[in-house]
């Protein structure tokens, strides 16, 4: 049995981004079939495009309770068909990290969380996953069937030109133990640091919470591609929301560009951002540890450097 | 109200990781171990709920070798009433460990079972949800808000781009995220009192589970960077690097 089931995420009647990436991850570990399970309360747009990115079949499971996230029902549905598959893949989003272990427990099988690479090793699925917030990488063999929770962006979506047939799946009877309301969008409508292409993080060097406005302006210059993050020190001091914290007790981020402003670079912060493609550090202290991991550093007063950088980014993007 | 908190002992987050001989685990020499930071939010939530109710009992449970008793005492010093040490070697498979915890918690009459969102060592992020499934209880993970009233709980959790609110009847299992509360520190009085609080030891044997640790390695080092200059005058050089060399703008 080599077939793989991927469970795709739906919110507000639409597929969340990352379906193609998850299907690409599934394709790495099978020459057999890859089926995509979509649980929803009604029609979902974009399902006909899933064949082109690697789904042999799209399995639709309809239930009125699936209008919002329904962990009990989705886990029951996935687990009810899981025995036909070698493994179940879900994306390591907030929802996937919640759902994966539930499906695994119902399958009586292990769950490998937040995997960044996966391959077959004989009969086992060999996965690599960051541990200690990325300070180390653990290689695991998942020997029985199991759930693999794959970090978004681990593999780019591929083109497969599969037929992408659709089949309906029965939703087994389940008890809706948790009632989940619709997602309340963030007030700012701001991008999450874990999702943004550019992350600009501030630390104690900002001196005052109101100075985060400088970072907001720099983020705005990137035209909706940037999110503002923060070090633990300033989150603990109440200068920034805990959801913005980057580091071992916050979020692990891997943006294309990470700009650390007034952050000295404590080891637990570095763990959370060291896989960014390009790291820029702006700090007054030339000996700050952040400069050891930064690709490009500017030593200087952030109150002069950041506005100059904001102006330069605006100008560059205007061209 | 009876509340149980599952606790893990982990290396302090300031720890620099050194891989031990054998290449599958960390070298623990000189490493300072602490209560898992996310578990502290669970402990604080349990204590605050008991304080608000004016009655009830809080229990802390940990699986591991004898050394976890030290961490259990820390929880007792924060104010937790009693501790249970499930004495055994944790499996690499989170489900095997969740099963041991669930087997102990089952029949304990707990209204709430709380744990941290994840342990900052293995980043497994699965114990809470698995315990809930094994005990057939409602569950929400990574909660940043918890209100309990009239036998029901209302919670909030962060998802990409927003906040998800949920509710359920008790008993229930929740895993706690940063932002839920500000954990209290053990007081001197609490530390003294902790020595006299009950700590029950129960031998357990987690099954081997379905995963094998093949290796633990340090990630590749980043290539050394460079300081492009000083002050605002260095911005053009930085922009040149970001647009032409790195091509990220």
């Amino acid at each position: 049995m080599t077939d793989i089931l991927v469970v795709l995420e739906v919110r507000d009647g639409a597929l969340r981004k990352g379906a193609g990436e998850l299907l690409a991850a599934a394709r790495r570990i099978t020459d057999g079939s890859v089926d995509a399970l979509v649980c929803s309360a009604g029609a979902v747009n974009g399902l006909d495009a899933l064949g082109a990115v690697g789904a042999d079949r799209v399995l639709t499971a309809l239930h009125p309770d699936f209008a919002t996230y329904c962990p009990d029902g989705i886990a029951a549905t996935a687990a009810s068909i899981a025995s036909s598959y070698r493994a179940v893949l879900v994306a390591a989003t907030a929802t996937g990290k919640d759902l994966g272990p539930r499906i695994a427990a119902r399958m009586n099988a292990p769950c490998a969380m937040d995997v960044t690479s996966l391959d077959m090793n004989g009969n086992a699925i060999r996965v690599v996953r960051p541990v200690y917030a990325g300070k180390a990488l653990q290689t695991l063999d998942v020997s029985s069937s199991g759930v693999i929770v794959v970090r978004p962006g681990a593999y780019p979506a591929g083109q497969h030109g599969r037929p992408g047939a659709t089949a309906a799946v029965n939703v087994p009877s389940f008890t809706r133990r948790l009632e989940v309301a619709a997602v309340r969008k963030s007030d700012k409508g701001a991008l999450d640091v874990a999702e943004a292409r550019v992350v600009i993080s501030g630390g104690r060097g900002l001196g005052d919470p109101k100075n985060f406005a400088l970072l907001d302006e720099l983020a705005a210059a990137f035209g909706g591609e940037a999110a503002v993050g923060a070090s633990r020190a300033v989150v603990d001091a109440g200068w920034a929301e805990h959801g913005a914290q980057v580091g071992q007790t916050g979020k692990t981020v891997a943006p294309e560009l990470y700009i650390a402003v007034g952050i000295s670079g404590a080891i637990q912060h570095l763990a959370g951002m060291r896989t960014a493609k390009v790291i820029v550090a702006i700090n007054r202290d030339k000996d700050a540890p952040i400069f050891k991991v930064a690709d490009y550093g500017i030593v200087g007063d952030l109150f002069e450097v950041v506005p100059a950088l904001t102006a330069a980014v605006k100008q560059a993007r205007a061209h | 109200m009876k509340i149980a908190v599952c606790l893990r002992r982990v290396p302090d987050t300031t720890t620099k990781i050194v891989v031990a001989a054998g290449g599958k685990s960390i070298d623990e020499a000189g490493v300072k171990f602490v209560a898992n930071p996310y578990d502290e939010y669970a402990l604080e939530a349990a204590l605050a709920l008991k304080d608000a109710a004016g009655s009830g009992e809080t229990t802390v449970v940990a699986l591991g070798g004898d050394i976890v008793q030290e961490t259990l005492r820390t929880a007792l010093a924060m104010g937790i009433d009693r501790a249970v040490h499930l004495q055994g070697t944790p499996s690499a498979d989170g489900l095997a460990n969740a099963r041991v915890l669930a087997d102990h918690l089952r029949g304990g009459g707990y209204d709430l079972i709380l744990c941290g969102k994840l342990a900052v060592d293995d980043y497994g992020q699965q114990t809470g949800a698995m315990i809930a499934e094994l005990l057939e209880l409602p569950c929400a993970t990574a909660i940043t808000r918890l209100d309990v009233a009239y036998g029901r709980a209302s919670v909030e959790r962060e998802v990409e781009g927003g906040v998800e609110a949920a509710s359920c009847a008790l008993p229930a299992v929740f895993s706690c995220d940063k932002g839920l509360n500000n954990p209290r520190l053990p007081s001197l009085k609490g530390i003294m009192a902790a020595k006299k609080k009950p700590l029950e030891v129960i031998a357990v044997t987690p099954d081997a589970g379905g995963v094998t640790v093949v290796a633990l390695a340090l990630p590749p080092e980043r290539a050394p960077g460079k300081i492009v200059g000083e002050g605002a005058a260095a911005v053009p050089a930085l922009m040149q690097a970001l647009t032409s060399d790195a091509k990220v703008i």
Side-chain angles (χ1 to χ4, degrees):
Chain A
M1 187 174 55
T2 60
D3 297 351
I4 305 294
L5 179 68
V6 305
V7 182
L8 299 181
E9 194 174 329
V10 175
R11 191 192 291 177
D12 299 332
L15 279 179
R16 294 286 289 166
K17 66 179 182 187
E21 296 173 6
L22 194 59
L23 288 162
R27 282 276 157 225
R28 285 185 63 83
I29 52 168
T30 186
D31 296 321
S33 290
V34 175
D35 289 350
L37 175 64
V38 177
C39 296
S40 65
V44 175
N45 284 333
L47 298 188
D48 43 359
L50 291 174
V53 288
D56 290 290
R57 291 194 303 166
V58 178
L59 309 178
T60 56
L62 288 168
H63 194 285
D65 286 353
F66 294 171
T68 56
Y69 176 51
C70 180
D72 300 300
I74 300 171
T77 305
S80 73
I81 56 173
S83 62
S84 307
Y85 297 93
R86 172 65 183 79
V88 178
L89 267 54
V90 299
T93 57
T95 302
K97 288 175 181 173
D98 180 88
L99 184 63
R102 298 178 193 254
I103 298 172
R106 286 178 189 241
M107 289 166 64
N108 194 23
C111 175
M113 183 58 76
D114 206 14
V115 160
T116 53
S117 128
L118 71 172
D119 285 293
M120 289 307 294
N121 174 48
N123 289 324
I125 300 174
R126 177 160 288 186
V127 304
V128 176
R129 44 187 303 276
V131 291
Y132 300 93
K135 290 179 194 171
L137 300 173
Q138 182 188 54
T139 304
L140 286 180
D141 274 353
V142 180
S143 49
S144 61
S145 69
V147 176
I148 317 284
V149 185
V150 185
R151 185 179 285 192
Y155 296 103
Q159 289 297 322
H160 287 272
R162 301 264 165 176
T166 303
V169 167
N170 267 337
V171 176
S173 72
F174 67 90
T175 308
R176 191 186 183 196
R177 298 183 195 123
L178 185 75
E179 288 168 37
V180 182
V183 172
R184 194 172 73 232
K185 292 198 178 70
S186 312
D187 307 336
K188 287 192 205 164
L191 212 49
D192 193 281
V193 287
E195 287 191 307
R197 191 183 73 85
V198 177
V199 175
I200 299 149
S201 286
R204 237 197 288 257
L206 283 168
D208 189 287
K210 70 175 193 294
N211 294 329
F212 265 91
L214 284 175
L215 306 192
D216 290 335
E217 285 161 22
L218 177 53
F222 281 96
E225 289 185 323
V228 173
S231 71
R232 182 169 78 183
V234 300
V235 170
D236 287 352
W239 295 9
E241 297 273 326
H242 58 86
Q245 184 182 325
V246 173
Q248 196 166 3
T249 53
K251 289 186 176 136
T252 304
V253 299
E256 278 188 43
L257 175 60
Y258 189 88
I259 304 178
V261 180
I263 290 177
S264 63
I267 190 166
Q268 64 84 21
H269 184 78
L270 302 182
M273 43 67 90
R274 65 185 310 286
T275 56
K277 189 174 159 213
V278 174
I279 297 173
V280 171
I282 299 166
N283 204 298
R284 215 164 37 183
D285 174 10
K286 68 175 173 39
D287 297 320
I290 192 77
F291 287 122
K292 291 203 174 63
V293 300
D295 299 283
Y296 307 108
I298 293 183
V299 179
D301 183 351
L302 66 92
F303 297 100
E304 288 170 15
V305 176
V306 174
L309 182 58
T310 302
V313 170
K314 272 186 195 159
Q315 198 181 20
R317 290 181 58 94
H319 289 293
Chain B
M1 180 141 67
K2 283 186 78 175
I3 306 171
V5 178
C6 302
L7 180 66
R8 278 275 294 274
R9 176 179 179 269
V10 298
D12 187 272
T13 55
T14 59
T15 304
K16 188 173 188 303
I17 300 300
V18 177
V19 177
K24 290 183 183 179
S25 58
I26 65 160
D27 184 348
E28 294 189 358
V31 172
K32 182 187 167 202
F33 282 82
V34 296
N36 179 41
Y38 289 103
D39 297 349
E40 292 185 347
Y41 304 118
L43 290 167
E44 176 59 37
L47 292 167
L49 283 167
K50 187 191 156 186
D51 288 349
S55 66
E57 186 190 50
T58 53
T59 303
V60 60
V61 184
L63 164 66
D66 287 343
I67 194 76
V68 304
Q69 291 187 12
E70 192 182 284
T71 318
L72 287 168
R73 290 282 177 205
T74 308
L76 296 176
M78 282 174 72
I80 296 290
D81 297 315
R82 67 183 193 99
V84 177
H85 171 205
L86 299 177
Q87 189 182 44
T89 306
S91 168
D93 183 346
L95 183 58
N97 300 327
R99 203 177 279 121
V100 166
L101 288 160
D103 284 346
H104 173 73
L105 295 165
R106 184 181 288 117
Y110 296 108
D111 301 292
L112 268 178
I113 297 170
L114 303 175
C115 56
K117 171 178 85 167
L118 56 78
V120 299
D121 53 0
D122 66 16
Y123 264 63
Q125 200 161 353
Q126 50 195 270
T127 310
M130 285 175 165
I131 289 172
E133 291 294 336
L134 293 166
L135 298 178
E136 300 185 349
L137 292 177
C139 172
T141 59
I143 61 168
T144 52
R145 185 177 173 151
L146 170 63
D147 295 305
V148 173
Y150 307 111
R152 285 189 69 82
S154 301
V155 301
E156 285 183 358
R157 61 191 306 266
E158 277 191 21
V159 296
E160 291 78 7
V163 175
E164 205 167 60
S167 66
C168 63
L170 300 184
V173 182
F174 299 118
S175 77
C176 303
D177 200 353
K178 183 162 186 167
L180 180 64
N181 52 41
N182 292 307
R184 66 194 71 184
L185 293 170
S187 63
L188 187 60
K189 195 175 146 204
I191 293 167
M192 299 307 289
K195 292 176 183 164
K196 292 179 189 145
K197 287 181 178 175
L199 193 160
E200 186 184 358
V201 181
I202 301 170
V204 294
T205 313
D207 59 63
V211 302
T212 313
V213 177
V214 178
L216 185 76
L218 298 183
E221 290 282 333
R222 288 188 76 95
K226 63 169 184 182
I227 305 259
V228 295
E230 288 189 18
V235 167
L238 175 63
M239 287 300 292
Q240 174 72 23
L242 295 179
T243 51
S244 303
D245 304 344
K247 295 189 172 59
V248 289
I249 294 183

